[in-house]
Amino acid sequence: MDEFQSGEETSFVVEEVSNIIKEAIESAIGGNAYQHSKVNQWTTSVVEQTLSQLTKLGKPFKYIVTCVIMQKNGAGLHTASSCFWDNTCDGNCTVRWENKTMYCIVSAFGLAI
Amino acid sequence: MVNNPTLCSPEAHQLSKESDYKVDYNHNKVNQWTATIVEQSLTHLVKLGKTYKYIVTCAVMQKSGAGLHTASSCFWDTTTDGTCTVRWENRTMNCIVNVFAIAVVL
Protein backbone atom coordinates (compact mmCIF):
# COMPACT_ATOMS: atom_id res chain seq x y z
CA MET A 1 0.00 0.00 0.00
CA ASP A 2 2.87 2.36 0.78
CA GLU A 3 4.10 2.50 -2.83
CA PHE A 4 0.95 4.33 -3.95
CA GLN A 5 1.68 7.27 -1.68
CA SER A 6 5.30 7.89 -2.64
CA GLY A 7 4.52 10.78 -5.06
CA GLU A 8 4.04 13.75 -2.72
CA GLU A 9 6.57 12.82 -0.09
CA THR A 10 9.64 12.42 -2.23
CA SER A 11 9.24 14.56 -5.34
CA PHE A 12 10.18 18.14 -6.12
CA VAL A 13 6.87 20.02 -6.25
CA VAL A 14 7.41 23.16 -8.29
CA GLU A 15 4.34 25.03 -7.09
CA GLU A 16 5.14 24.50 -3.45
CA VAL A 17 8.71 25.72 -3.94
CA SER A 18 7.55 28.67 -6.01
CA ASN A 19 5.26 29.80 -3.17
CA ILE A 20 8.08 29.49 -0.67
CA ILE A 21 10.31 31.65 -2.85
CA LYS A 22 7.63 34.31 -3.39
CA GLU A 23 7.02 34.62 0.32
CA ALA A 24 10.72 34.94 1.04
CA ILE A 25 11.11 37.71 -1.57
CA GLU A 26 8.06 39.62 -0.35
CA SER A 27 9.13 39.54 3.24
CA ALA A 28 12.74 40.51 2.51
CA ILE A 29 12.32 43.23 -0.14
CA GLY A 30 8.62 43.73 -0.83
CA GLY A 31 7.87 47.46 -0.85
CA ASN A 32 11.52 48.59 -0.75
CA ALA A 33 13.38 50.67 -3.31
CA TYR A 34 16.85 49.64 -4.53
CA GLN A 35 19.43 50.73 -1.99
CA HIS A 36 23.08 49.90 -2.52
CA SER A 37 23.82 49.68 1.17
CA LYS A 38 21.05 47.18 1.84
CA VAL A 39 21.19 44.85 -1.15
CA ASN A 40 23.75 42.48 0.32
CA GLN A 41 21.56 41.99 3.32
CA TRP A 42 18.50 41.45 1.13
CA THR A 43 20.03 38.80 -1.11
CA THR A 44 21.32 36.94 1.94
CA SER A 45 17.96 37.18 3.61
CA VAL A 46 16.08 35.87 0.56
CA VAL A 47 18.34 32.83 0.08
CA GLU A 48 18.48 31.97 3.76
CA GLN A 49 14.75 32.23 4.28
CA THR A 50 14.02 30.20 1.16
CA LEU A 51 16.49 27.52 2.16
CA SER A 52 15.20 27.19 5.69
CA GLN A 53 11.59 26.87 4.48
CA LEU A 54 12.65 24.26 1.93
CA THR A 55 14.49 22.16 4.50
CA LYS A 56 11.44 22.35 6.77
CA LEU A 57 9.51 20.42 4.12
CA GLY A 58 11.49 17.42 5.36
CA LYS A 59 11.96 15.83 1.96
CA PRO A 60 15.11 13.82 1.14
CA PHE A 61 16.67 16.52 -1.04
CA LYS A 62 19.83 18.60 -1.19
CA TYR A 63 19.01 22.21 -2.16
CA ILE A 64 20.78 25.07 -3.90
CA VAL A 65 19.15 28.51 -3.87
CA THR A 66 20.54 31.46 -5.83
CA CYS A 67 19.30 35.03 -5.89
CA VAL A 68 20.15 37.92 -8.22
CA ILE A 69 19.03 41.47 -7.52
CA MET A 70 19.59 44.10 -10.17
CA GLN A 71 18.85 47.79 -10.16
CA LYS A 72 16.57 48.93 -12.97
CA ASN A 73 18.37 51.33 -15.22
CA GLY A 74 17.98 49.99 -18.71
CA ALA A 75 20.90 47.53 -18.68
CA GLY A 76 20.36 44.10 -20.17
CA LEU A 77 20.67 41.03 -17.98
CA HIS A 78 20.59 37.46 -19.24
CA THR A 79 20.86 34.32 -17.14
CA ALA A 80 21.00 30.67 -18.15
CA SER A 81 21.46 27.42 -16.29
CA SER A 82 22.14 23.88 -17.31
CA CYS A 83 21.85 20.81 -15.09
CA PHE A 84 23.23 17.31 -15.23
CA TRP A 85 21.08 15.24 -12.90
CA ASP A 86 18.39 12.62 -12.62
CA ASN A 87 15.34 13.89 -14.50
CA THR A 88 12.95 11.59 -12.72
CA CYS A 89 13.47 12.98 -9.24
CA ASP A 90 15.41 16.27 -9.40
CA GLY A 91 13.90 19.61 -10.24
CA ASN A 92 14.20 23.36 -10.22
CA CYS A 93 12.03 26.42 -9.89
CA THR A 94 12.81 30.00 -10.88
CA VAL A 95 10.81 33.03 -9.75
CA ARG A 96 11.19 36.45 -11.39
CA TRP A 97 9.98 39.38 -9.33
CA GLU A 98 10.21 43.11 -9.86
CA ASN A 99 9.12 46.42 -8.48
CA LYS A 100 9.69 49.97 -9.70
CA THR A 101 13.40 50.09 -8.92
CA MET A 102 14.77 46.55 -9.11
CA TYR A 103 14.53 43.04 -10.51
CA CYS A 104 14.94 39.93 -8.37
CA ILE A 105 15.47 36.46 -9.82
CA VAL A 106 15.54 33.48 -7.44
CA SER A 107 16.28 29.92 -8.53
CA ALA A 108 15.93 26.88 -6.32
CA PHE A 109 17.36 23.51 -7.38
CA GLY A 110 16.44 20.30 -5.54
CA LEU A 111 18.48 17.13 -5.95
CA ALA A 112 17.18 13.87 -4.59
CA ILE A 113 19.45 12.02 -2.24
CA MET B 1 35.69 15.20 -2.70
CA VAL B 2 35.40 18.23 -4.91
CA ASN B 3 38.64 19.97 -5.73
CA ASN B 4 37.59 23.53 -6.52
CA PRO B 5 40.63 24.67 -8.53
CA THR B 6 40.14 21.86 -11.05
CA LEU B 7 36.49 22.86 -11.47
CA CYS B 8 37.31 26.53 -11.93
CA SER B 9 39.97 26.38 -14.63
CA PRO B 10 37.87 24.65 -17.32
CA GLU B 11 35.19 27.28 -16.76
CA ALA B 12 37.55 30.27 -17.04
CA HIS B 13 38.86 28.74 -20.23
CA GLN B 14 35.39 28.42 -21.72
CA LEU B 15 34.58 32.02 -20.94
CA SER B 16 37.68 33.49 -22.50
CA LYS B 17 37.21 31.41 -25.63
CA GLU B 18 33.52 32.12 -26.03
CA SER B 19 33.39 35.77 -25.18
CA ASP B 20 36.37 37.40 -26.79
CA TYR B 21 37.71 40.51 -25.11
CA LYS B 22 36.89 42.48 -28.25
CA VAL B 23 33.23 41.45 -28.45
CA ASP B 24 30.74 44.03 -27.22
CA TYR B 25 27.45 43.39 -25.45
CA ASN B 26 24.95 42.55 -28.16
CA HIS B 27 21.32 42.09 -27.16
CA ASN B 28 20.64 39.76 -30.06
CA LYS B 29 23.49 37.45 -29.25
CA VAL B 30 23.45 37.28 -25.47
CA ASN B 31 20.92 34.45 -25.27
CA GLN B 32 23.12 32.39 -27.53
CA TRP B 33 26.22 33.21 -25.48
CA THR B 34 24.75 32.28 -22.12
CA ALA B 35 23.39 29.02 -23.56
CA THR B 36 26.76 28.17 -25.10
CA ILE B 37 28.64 28.91 -21.92
CA VAL B 38 26.46 26.72 -19.70
CA GLU B 39 26.27 23.89 -22.20
CA GLN B 40 29.96 23.78 -22.89
CA SER B 41 30.88 24.04 -19.23
CA LEU B 42 28.50 21.21 -18.40
CA THR B 43 29.84 18.99 -21.16
CA HIS B 44 33.36 19.63 -19.98
CA LEU B 45 32.44 18.77 -16.39
CA VAL B 46 30.63 15.58 -17.31
CA LYS B 47 33.69 14.47 -19.28
CA LEU B 48 35.69 14.55 -16.05
CA GLY B 49 33.88 11.31 -15.36
CA LYS B 50 33.29 11.87 -11.64
CA THR B 51 30.14 10.63 -9.91
CA TYR B 52 28.56 14.05 -9.49
CA LYS B 53 25.38 15.84 -10.47
CA TYR B 54 26.14 19.34 -11.76
CA ILE B 55 24.31 22.65 -11.96
CA VAL B 56 25.87 25.45 -14.00
CA THR B 57 24.39 28.96 -14.03
CA CYS B 58 25.57 31.97 -16.00
CA ALA B 59 24.55 35.63 -15.80
CA VAL B 60 25.68 38.19 -18.39
CA MET B 61 25.02 41.83 -17.68
CA GLN B 62 25.58 44.92 -19.77
CA LYS B 63 27.81 47.50 -18.08
CA SER B 64 25.73 50.58 -17.52
CA GLY B 65 26.33 51.56 -13.93
CA ALA B 66 23.47 49.49 -12.52
CA GLY B 67 24.13 47.56 -9.32
CA LEU B 68 24.00 43.77 -9.45
CA HIS B 69 24.11 41.50 -6.41
CA THR B 70 23.97 37.73 -6.32
CA ALA B 71 23.86 35.31 -3.41
CA SER B 72 23.47 31.58 -3.08
CA SER B 73 22.89 29.24 -0.22
CA CYS B 74 23.19 25.46 -0.26
CA PHE B 75 21.85 22.66 1.87
CA TRP B 76 24.07 19.67 1.18
CA ASP B 77 26.84 17.43 2.43
CA THR B 78 29.79 19.76 3.04
CA THR B 79 32.28 16.90 2.98
CA THR B 80 31.53 15.84 -0.59
CA ASP B 81 29.73 18.68 -2.37
CA GLY B 82 31.15 21.98 -3.55
CA THR B 83 30.86 25.09 -5.65
CA CYS B 84 33.02 27.34 -7.80
CA THR B 85 32.29 30.83 -9.15
CA VAL B 86 34.13 32.60 -11.96
CA ARG B 87 33.69 36.34 -12.57
CA TRP B 88 34.76 37.68 -15.96
CA GLU B 89 34.39 41.03 -17.65
CA ASN B 90 35.35 43.05 -20.67
CA ARG B 91 34.67 46.65 -21.69
CA THR B 92 30.91 46.31 -22.12
CA MET B 93 29.75 43.41 -19.99
CA ASN B 94 30.14 41.37 -16.81
CA CYS B 95 29.76 37.61 -16.73
CA ILE B 96 29.35 35.44 -13.63
CA VAL B 97 29.38 31.64 -13.90
CA ASN B 98 28.54 29.40 -10.92
CA VAL B 99 29.14 25.67 -10.85
CA PHE B 100 27.58 23.48 -8.14
CA ALA B 101 28.64 19.85 -7.83
CA ILE B 102 26.62 17.37 -5.76
CA ALA B 103 28.04 13.93 -5.03
CA VAL B 104 25.91 11.00 -6.08
CA VAL B 105 25.64 8.27 -3.49
CA LEU B 106 25.59 5.00 -5.36
Side-chain angles (χ1 to χ4, degrees), chain A residues 25 29 32-34 39 42-43 46 67-79 95-106, chain B residues 61 66-70:
Chain A
I25 296 176
I29 60 179
N32 287 323
Y34 182 88
V39 185
W42 289 339
T43 48
V46 171
C67 169
V68 176
I69 292 183
M70 184 171 104
Q71 190 181 13
K72 275 189 177 179
N73 87 336
L77 173 73
H78 288 250
T79 63
V95 173
R96 276 160 284 269
W97 181 96
E98 64 179 285
N99 68 9
K100 274 204 307 164
T101 55
M102 55 188 170
Y103 293 106
C104 178
I105 301 167
V106 179
Chain B
M61 183 171 108
L68 176 77
H69 288 251
T70 66

mmCIF file of all heavy atoms in Angstrom, chain A residues 25 29 32-34 39 42-43 46 67-79 95-106, chain B residues 61 66-70:
data_model
loop_
_atom_site.group_PDB
_atom_site.id
_atom_site.type_symbol
_atom_site.label_atom_id
_atom_site.label_comp_id
_atom_site.label_asym_id
_atom_site.label_seq_id
_atom_site.Cartn_x
_atom_site.Cartn_y
_atom_site.Cartn_z
ATOM 1 N N ILE A 25 10.797 36.446 -0.883
ATOM 2 C CA ILE A 25 11.107 37.710 -1.568
ATOM 3 C C ILE A 25 10.254 38.838 -0.987
ATOM 4 O O ILE A 25 10.761 39.895 -0.637
ATOM 5 C CB ILE A 25 10.844 37.605 -3.089
ATOM 6 C CG1 ILE A 25 11.768 36.589 -3.737
ATOM 7 C CG2 ILE A 25 11.050 38.975 -3.750
ATOM 8 C CD1 ILE A 25 11.500 36.373 -5.221
ATOM 9 N N ILE A 29 12.194 41.967 0.603
ATOM 10 C CA ILE A 29 12.325 43.227 -0.136
ATOM 11 C C ILE A 29 11.029 43.842 -0.632
ATOM 12 O O ILE A 29 11.050 44.893 -1.256
ATOM 13 C CB ILE A 29 13.261 43.069 -1.355
ATOM 14 C CG1 ILE A 29 12.726 42.005 -2.319
ATOM 15 C CG2 ILE A 29 14.657 42.740 -0.925
ATOM 16 C CD1 ILE A 29 13.614 41.842 -3.542
ATOM 17 N N ASN A 32 10.305 47.777 -0.910
ATOM 18 C CA ASN A 32 11.522 48.591 -0.748
ATOM 19 C C ASN A 32 12.049 49.062 -2.089
ATOM 20 O O ASN A 32 11.848 48.415 -3.103
ATOM 21 C CB ASN A 32 12.626 47.750 -0.096
ATOM 22 C CG ASN A 32 12.354 47.515 1.364
ATOM 23 O OD1 ASN A 32 11.846 48.386 2.056
ATOM 24 N ND2 ASN A 32 12.693 46.332 1.842
ATOM 25 N N ALA A 33 12.752 50.202 -2.081
ATOM 26 C CA ALA A 33 13.381 50.672 -3.309
ATOM 27 C C ALA A 33 14.844 50.241 -3.275
ATOM 28 O O ALA A 33 15.406 50.042 -2.201
ATOM 29 C CB ALA A 33 13.288 52.194 -3.394
ATOM 30 N N TYR A 34 15.464 50.081 -4.466
ATOM 31 C CA TYR A 34 16.853 49.636 -4.529
ATOM 32 C C TYR A 34 17.735 50.558 -3.694
ATOM 33 O O TYR A 34 17.730 51.770 -3.868
ATOM 34 C CB TYR A 34 17.341 49.630 -5.983
ATOM 35 C CG TYR A 34 18.766 49.136 -6.112
ATOM 36 C CD1 TYR A 34 19.040 47.775 -6.262
ATOM 37 C CD2 TYR A 34 19.835 50.017 -6.053
ATOM 38 C CE1 TYR A 34 20.344 47.318 -6.354
ATOM 39 C CE2 TYR A 34 21.145 49.563 -6.140
ATOM 40 C CZ TYR A 34 21.393 48.209 -6.290
ATOM 41 O OH TYR A 34 22.686 47.759 -6.370
ATOM 42 N N VAL A 39 21.402 45.999 -0.269
ATOM 43 C CA VAL A 39 21.187 44.853 -1.153
ATOM 44 C C VAL A 39 21.853 43.578 -0.678
ATOM 45 O O VAL A 39 21.270 42.495 -0.772
ATOM 46 C CB VAL A 39 21.618 45.171 -2.593
ATOM 47 C CG1 VAL A 39 21.280 44.018 -3.491
ATOM 48 C CG2 VAL A 39 20.906 46.396 -3.080
ATOM 49 N N TRP A 42 19.716 41.975 1.722
ATOM 50 C CA TRP A 42 18.496 41.450 1.125
ATOM 51 C C TRP A 42 18.729 40.127 0.417
ATOM 52 O O TRP A 42 17.962 39.194 0.578
ATOM 53 C CB TRP A 42 17.913 42.463 0.114
ATOM 54 C CG TRP A 42 17.322 43.687 0.735
ATOM 55 C CD1 TRP A 42 16.893 43.840 2.028
ATOM 56 C CD2 TRP A 42 17.094 44.939 0.091
ATOM 57 N NE1 TRP A 42 16.401 45.109 2.211
ATOM 58 C CE2 TRP A 42 16.518 45.799 1.050
ATOM 59 C CE3 TRP A 42 17.314 45.428 -1.217
ATOM 60 C CZ2 TRP A 42 16.165 47.124 0.739
ATOM 61 C CZ3 TRP A 42 16.952 46.727 -1.504
ATOM 62 C CH2 TRP A 42 16.379 47.568 -0.535
ATOM 63 N N THR A 43 19.792 40.055 -0.385
ATOM 64 C CA THR A 43 20.032 38.801 -1.113
ATOM 65 C C THR A 43 20.278 37.675 -0.118
ATOM 66 O O THR A 43 19.750 36.564 -0.276
ATOM 67 C CB THR A 43 21.243 38.878 -2.078
ATOM 68 O OG1 THR A 43 22.349 39.451 -1.399
ATOM 69 C CG2 THR A 43 20.933 39.691 -3.322
ATOM 70 N N VAL A 46 16.944 36.639 1.461
ATOM 71 C CA VAL A 46 16.080 35.869 0.558
ATOM 72 C C VAL A 46 16.565 34.417 0.469
ATOM 73 O O VAL A 46 15.781 33.478 0.615
ATOM 74 C CB VAL A 46 16.028 36.502 -0.855
ATOM 75 C CG1 VAL A 46 15.327 35.602 -1.840
ATOM 76 C CG2 VAL A 46 15.322 37.842 -0.805
ATOM 77 N N CYS A 67 20.126 33.837 -5.763
ATOM 78 C CA CYS A 67 19.295 35.031 -5.885
ATOM 79 C C CYS A 67 20.102 36.126 -6.569
ATOM 80 O O CYS A 67 21.257 36.350 -6.226
ATOM 81 C CB CYS A 67 18.875 35.490 -4.488
ATOM 82 S SG CYS A 67 18.123 37.124 -4.451
ATOM 83 N N VAL A 68 19.492 36.801 -7.540
ATOM 84 C CA VAL A 68 20.154 37.918 -8.220
ATOM 85 C C VAL A 68 19.258 39.134 -8.070
ATOM 86 O O VAL A 68 18.066 39.060 -8.374
ATOM 87 C CB VAL A 68 20.313 37.616 -9.733
ATOM 88 C CG1 VAL A 68 20.915 38.803 -10.447
ATOM 89 C CG2 VAL A 68 21.162 36.383 -9.943
ATOM 90 N N ILE A 69 19.813 40.232 -7.589
ATOM 91 C CA ILE A 69 19.030 41.473 -7.516
ATOM 92 C C ILE A 69 19.735 42.505 -8.377
ATOM 93 O O ILE A 69 20.939 42.715 -8.246
ATOM 94 C CB ILE A 69 18.902 42.000 -6.068
ATOM 95 C CG1 ILE A 69 18.041 41.049 -5.241
ATOM 96 C CG2 ILE A 69 18.269 43.399 -6.053
ATOM 97 C CD1 ILE A 69 17.795 41.503 -3.811
ATOM 98 N N MET A 70 18.987 43.110 -9.289
ATOM 99 C CA MET A 70 19.590 44.103 -10.166
ATOM 100 C C MET A 70 18.765 45.376 -10.191
ATOM 101 O O MET A 70 17.545 45.340 -10.327
ATOM 102 C CB MET A 70 19.701 43.547 -11.582
ATOM 103 C CG MET A 70 20.417 44.511 -12.494
ATOM 104 S SD MET A 70 20.794 43.808 -14.079
ATOM 105 C CE MET A 70 19.563 44.585 -15.091
ATOM 106 N N GLN A 71 19.478 46.476 -10.110
ATOM 107 C CA GLN A 71 18.853 47.787 -10.160
ATOM 108 C C GLN A 71 18.289 48.034 -11.564
ATOM 109 O O GLN A 71 18.911 47.657 -12.553
ATOM 110 C CB GLN A 71 19.959 48.799 -9.874
ATOM 111 C CG GLN A 71 19.543 50.195 -9.634
ATOM 112 C CD GLN A 71 20.763 51.084 -9.387
ATOM 113 O OE1 GLN A 71 21.904 50.708 -9.623
ATOM 114 N NE2 GLN A 71 20.528 52.262 -8.901
ATOM 115 N N LYS A 72 17.143 48.656 -11.652
ATOM 116 C CA LYS A 72 16.565 48.933 -12.973
ATOM 117 C C LYS A 72 17.166 50.213 -13.510
ATOM 118 O O LYS A 72 16.894 51.291 -12.979
ATOM 119 C CB LYS A 72 15.046 49.152 -12.843
ATOM 120 C CG LYS A 72 14.227 47.894 -12.852
ATOM 121 C CD LYS A 72 12.730 48.239 -12.955
ATOM 122 C CE LYS A 72 11.895 46.978 -13.041
ATOM 123 N NZ LYS A 72 10.459 47.233 -13.109
ATOM 124 N N ASN A 73 17.954 50.084 -14.577
ATOM 125 C CA ASN A 73 18.371 51.334 -15.216
ATOM 126 C C ASN A 73 18.578 51.144 -16.707
ATOM 127 O O ASN A 73 19.316 51.876 -17.339
ATOM 128 C CB ASN A 73 19.622 51.918 -14.525
ATOM 129 C CG ASN A 73 20.906 51.395 -15.069
ATOM 130 O OD1 ASN A 73 20.962 50.320 -15.626
ATOM 131 N ND2 ASN A 73 21.974 52.171 -14.908
ATOM 132 N N GLY A 74 17.914 50.162 -17.261
ATOM 133 C CA GLY A 74 17.984 49.985 -18.710
ATOM 134 C C GLY A 74 19.010 48.978 -19.168
ATOM 135 O O GLY A 74 19.029 48.594 -20.327
ATOM 136 N N ALA A 75 19.879 48.511 -18.265
ATOM 137 C CA ALA A 75 20.895 47.532 -18.678
ATOM 138 C C ALA A 75 20.244 46.193 -18.984
ATOM 139 O O ALA A 75 19.198 45.865 -18.439
ATOM 140 C CB ALA A 75 21.925 47.343 -17.577
ATOM 141 N N GLY A 76 20.868 45.423 -19.857
ATOM 142 C CA GLY A 76 20.359 44.097 -20.171
ATOM 143 C C GLY A 76 20.955 43.082 -19.223
ATOM 144 O O GLY A 76 22.124 43.186 -18.860
ATOM 145 N N LEU A 77 20.144 42.112 -18.814
ATOM 146 C CA LEU A 77 20.674 41.025 -17.977
ATOM 147 C C LEU A 77 20.141 39.715 -18.523
ATOM 148 O O LEU A 77 18.932 39.585 -18.735
ATOM 149 C CB LEU A 77 20.208 41.174 -16.525
ATOM 150 C CG LEU A 77 20.570 39.984 -15.626
ATOM 151 C CD1 LEU A 77 22.063 39.960 -15.309
ATOM 152 C CD2 LEU A 77 19.794 40.019 -14.311
ATOM 153 N N HIS A 78 21.023 38.769 -18.774
ATOM 154 C CA HIS A 78 20.592 37.456 -19.236
ATOM 155 C C HIS A 78 21.154 36.401 -18.322
ATOM 156 O O HIS A 78 22.311 36.469 -17.932
ATOM 157 C CB HIS A 78 21.112 37.194 -20.661
ATOM 158 C CG HIS A 78 20.392 38.016 -21.667
ATOM 159 N ND1 HIS A 78 19.516 37.479 -22.568
ATOM 160 C CD2 HIS A 78 20.401 39.349 -21.892
ATOM 161 C CE1 HIS A 78 19.022 38.466 -23.317
ATOM 162 N NE2 HIS A 78 19.542 39.606 -22.920
ATOM 163 N N THR A 79 20.326 35.405 -17.961
ATOM 164 C CA THR A 79 20.856 34.319 -17.143
ATOM 165 C C THR A 79 20.470 33.002 -17.795
ATOM 166 O O THR A 79 19.464 32.919 -18.502
ATOM 167 C CB THR A 79 20.280 34.348 -15.720
ATOM 168 O OG1 THR A 79 18.874 34.144 -15.800
ATOM 169 C CG2 THR A 79 20.545 35.650 -15.021
ATOM 170 N N VAL A 95 11.828 32.001 -9.918
ATOM 171 C CA VAL A 95 10.806 33.030 -9.753
ATOM 172 C C VAL A 95 11.416 34.380 -10.112
ATOM 173 O O VAL A 95 12.472 34.739 -9.609
ATOM 174 C CB VAL A 95 10.296 33.078 -8.295
ATOM 175 C CG1 VAL A 95 9.363 34.257 -8.082
ATOM 176 C CG2 VAL A 95 9.584 31.785 -7.938
ATOM 177 N N ARG A 96 10.740 35.104 -11.006
ATOM 178 C CA ARG A 96 11.185 36.452 -11.390
ATOM 179 C C ARG A 96 10.240 37.446 -10.737
ATOM 180 O O ARG A 96 9.035 37.311 -10.844
ATOM 181 C CB ARG A 96 11.128 36.616 -12.915
ATOM 182 C CG ARG A 96 12.356 36.095 -13.633
ATOM 183 C CD ARG A 96 12.052 35.833 -15.111
ATOM 184 N NE ARG A 96 11.288 34.601 -15.238
ATOM 185 C CZ ARG A 96 11.836 33.403 -15.405
ATOM 186 N NH1 ARG A 96 13.135 33.271 -15.478
ATOM 187 N NH2 ARG A 96 11.075 32.335 -15.504
ATOM 188 N N TRP A 97 10.799 38.406 -10.057
ATOM 189 C CA TRP A 97 9.984 39.378 -9.335
ATOM 190 C C TRP A 97 10.531 40.748 -9.641
ATOM 191 O O TRP A 97 11.729 40.934 -9.843
ATOM 192 C CB TRP A 97 10.108 39.062 -7.831
ATOM 193 C CG TRP A 97 9.351 39.914 -6.885
ATOM 194 C CD1 TRP A 97 8.136 39.657 -6.339
ATOM 195 C CD2 TRP A 97 9.770 41.166 -6.307
ATOM 196 N NE1 TRP A 97 7.774 40.647 -5.470
ATOM 197 C CE2 TRP A 97 8.760 41.603 -5.427
ATOM 198 C CE3 TRP A 97 10.915 41.963 -6.462
ATOM 199 C CZ2 TRP A 97 8.840 42.789 -4.696
ATOM 200 C CZ3 TRP A 97 11.009 43.144 -5.736
ATOM 201 C CH2 TRP A 97 9.967 43.553 -4.859
ATOM 202 N N GLU A 98 9.684 41.760 -9.663
ATOM 203 C CA GLU A 98 10.207 43.112 -9.859
ATOM 204 C C GLU A 98 9.319 44.127 -9.169
ATOM 205 O O GLU A 98 8.144 43.872 -8.878
ATOM 206 C CB GLU A 98 10.292 43.452 -11.353
ATOM 207 C CG GLU A 98 8.945 43.499 -12.047
ATOM 208 C CD GLU A 98 9.073 43.867 -13.526
ATOM 209 O OE1 GLU A 98 9.305 45.052 -13.804
ATOM 210 O OE2 GLU A 98 8.928 42.979 -14.368
ATOM 211 N N ASN A 99 9.922 45.289 -8.911
ATOM 212 C CA ASN A 99 9.117 46.419 -8.480
ATOM 213 C C ASN A 99 9.610 47.605 -9.303
ATOM 214 O O ASN A 99 10.272 47.415 -10.320
ATOM 215 C CB ASN A 99 9.172 46.625 -6.959
ATOM 216 C CG ASN A 99 10.531 47.079 -6.444
ATOM 217 O OD1 ASN A 99 11.437 47.416 -7.212
ATOM 218 N ND2 ASN A 99 10.672 47.097 -5.134
ATOM 219 N N LYS A 100 9.334 48.813 -8.864
ATOM 220 C CA LYS A 100 9.686 49.971 -9.702
ATOM 221 C C LYS A 100 11.178 50.200 -9.857
ATOM 222 O O LYS A 100 11.613 50.780 -10.827
ATOM 223 C CB LYS A 100 9.041 51.245 -9.139
ATOM 224 C CG LYS A 100 7.627 51.433 -9.635
ATOM 225 C CD LYS A 100 7.188 52.879 -9.584
ATOM 226 C CE LYS A 100 7.435 53.420 -8.181
ATOM 227 N NZ LYS A 100 7.407 54.879 -8.103
ATOM 228 N N THR A 101 11.963 49.777 -8.876
ATOM 229 C CA THR A 101 13.400 50.093 -8.923
ATOM 230 C C THR A 101 14.335 48.911 -9.079
ATOM 231 O O THR A 101 15.536 49.108 -9.284
ATOM 232 C CB THR A 101 13.822 50.817 -7.626
ATOM 233 O OG1 THR A 101 13.443 49.975 -6.528
ATOM 234 C CG2 THR A 101 13.137 52.160 -7.508
ATOM 235 N N MET A 102 13.855 47.686 -8.969
ATOM 236 C CA MET A 102 14.766 46.550 -9.114
ATOM 237 C C MET A 102 14.093 45.261 -9.576
ATOM 238 O O MET A 102 12.883 45.101 -9.482
ATOM 239 C CB MET A 102 15.477 46.286 -7.782
ATOM 240 C CG MET A 102 14.570 46.074 -6.611
ATOM 241 S SD MET A 102 15.532 45.999 -5.092
ATOM 242 C CE MET A 102 14.208 46.046 -3.881
ATOM 243 N N TYR A 103 14.960 44.368 -10.108
ATOM 244 C CA TYR A 103 14.532 43.038 -10.505
ATOM 245 C C TYR A 103 15.133 42.053 -9.512
ATOM 246 O O TYR A 103 16.249 42.252 -9.049
ATOM 247 C CB TYR A 103 15.106 42.665 -11.876
ATOM 248 C CG TYR A 103 14.571 43.466 -13.022
ATOM 249 C CD1 TYR A 103 15.359 44.438 -13.629
ATOM 250 C CD2 TYR A 103 13.289 43.246 -13.520
ATOM 251 C CE1 TYR A 103 14.877 45.177 -14.691
ATOM 252 C CE2 TYR A 103 12.808 43.984 -14.589
ATOM 253 C CZ TYR A 103 13.603 44.957 -15.175
ATOM 254 O OH TYR A 103 13.134 45.697 -16.232
ATOM 255 N N CYS A 104 14.389 40.966 -9.239
ATOM 256 C CA CYS A 104 14.937 39.935 -8.368
ATOM 257 C C CYS A 104 14.625 38.582 -9.019
ATOM 258 O O CYS A 104 13.491 38.301 -9.393
ATOM 259 C CB CYS A 104 14.286 40.024 -6.989
ATOM 260 S SG CYS A 104 14.852 38.763 -5.861
ATOM 261 N N ILE A 105 15.660 37.775 -9.211
ATOM 262 C CA ILE A 105 15.465 36.455 -9.815
ATOM 263 C C ILE A 105 15.987 35.425 -8.828
ATOM 264 O O ILE A 105 17.159 35.451 -8.454
ATOM 265 C CB ILE A 105 16.263 36.359 -11.137
ATOM 266 C CG1 ILE A 105 15.785 37.443 -12.085
ATOM 267 C CG2 ILE A 105 16.094 34.978 -11.770
ATOM 268 C CD1 ILE A 105 16.697 37.653 -13.268
ATOM 269 N N VAL A 106 15.124 34.511 -8.404
ATOM 270 C CA VAL A 106 15.543 33.485 -7.441
ATOM 271 C C VAL A 106 15.344 32.113 -8.085
ATOM 272 O O VAL A 106 14.288 31.829 -8.637
ATOM 273 C CB VAL A 106 14.701 33.560 -6.148
ATOM 274 C CG1 VAL A 106 15.124 32.464 -5.172
ATOM 275 C CG2 VAL A 106 14.862 34.915 -5.498
ATOM 276 N N MET B 61 25.659 40.541 -17.855
ATOM 277 C CA MET B 61 25.021 41.829 -17.682
ATOM 278 C C MET B 61 25.782 42.925 -18.399
ATOM 279 O O MET B 61 27.006 43.005 -18.317
ATOM 280 C CB MET B 61 24.923 42.160 -16.198
ATOM 281 C CG MET B 61 24.197 43.454 -15.974
ATOM 282 S SD MET B 61 23.860 43.730 -14.262
ATOM 283 C CE MET B 61 24.995 45.022 -13.892
ATOM 284 N N ALA B 66 24.468 50.071 -13.437
ATOM 285 C CA ALA B 66 23.475 49.492 -12.520
ATOM 286 C C ALA B 66 24.159 48.602 -11.510
ATOM 287 O O ALA B 66 25.212 48.043 -11.781
ATOM 288 C CB ALA B 66 22.451 48.675 -13.303
ATOM 289 N N GLY B 67 23.575 48.445 -10.346
ATOM 290 C CA GLY B 67 24.130 47.562 -9.324
ATOM 291 C C GLY B 67 23.589 46.158 -9.537
ATOM 292 O O GLY B 67 22.422 45.982 -9.904
ATOM 293 N N LEU B 68 24.447 45.156 -9.347
ATOM 294 C CA LEU B 68 23.996 43.769 -9.448
ATOM 295 C C LEU B 68 24.546 43.004 -8.257
ATOM 296 O O LEU B 68 25.740 43.068 -7.982
ATOM 297 C CB LEU B 68 24.518 43.111 -10.735
ATOM 298 C CG LEU B 68 24.169 41.620 -10.849
ATOM 299 C CD1 LEU B 68 22.730 41.440 -11.261
ATOM 300 C CD2 LEU B 68 25.075 40.920 -11.839
ATOM 301 N N HIS B 69 23.667 42.304 -7.547
ATOM 302 C CA HIS B 69 24.114 41.501 -6.405
ATOM 303 C C HIS B 69 23.598 40.092 -6.578
ATOM 304 O O HIS B 69 22.463 39.893 -6.972
ATOM 305 C CB HIS B 69 23.560 42.079 -5.104
ATOM 306 C CG HIS B 69 24.237 43.357 -4.728
ATOM 307 N ND1 HIS B 69 25.105 43.471 -3.672
ATOM 308 C CD2 HIS B 69 24.183 44.584 -5.301
ATOM 309 C CE1 HIS B 69 25.544 44.712 -3.609
ATOM 310 N NE2 HIS B 69 25.006 45.417 -4.586
ATOM 311 N N THR B 70 24.455 39.103 -6.270
ATOM 312 C CA THR B 70 23.972 37.732 -6.319
ATOM 313 C C THR B 70 24.360 37.046 -5.017
ATOM 314 O O THR B 70 25.347 37.401 -4.384
ATOM 315 C CB THR B 70 24.600 36.939 -7.493
ATOM 316 O OG1 THR B 70 25.988 36.817 -7.244
ATOM 317 C CG2 THR B 70 24.401 37.642 -8.816
#
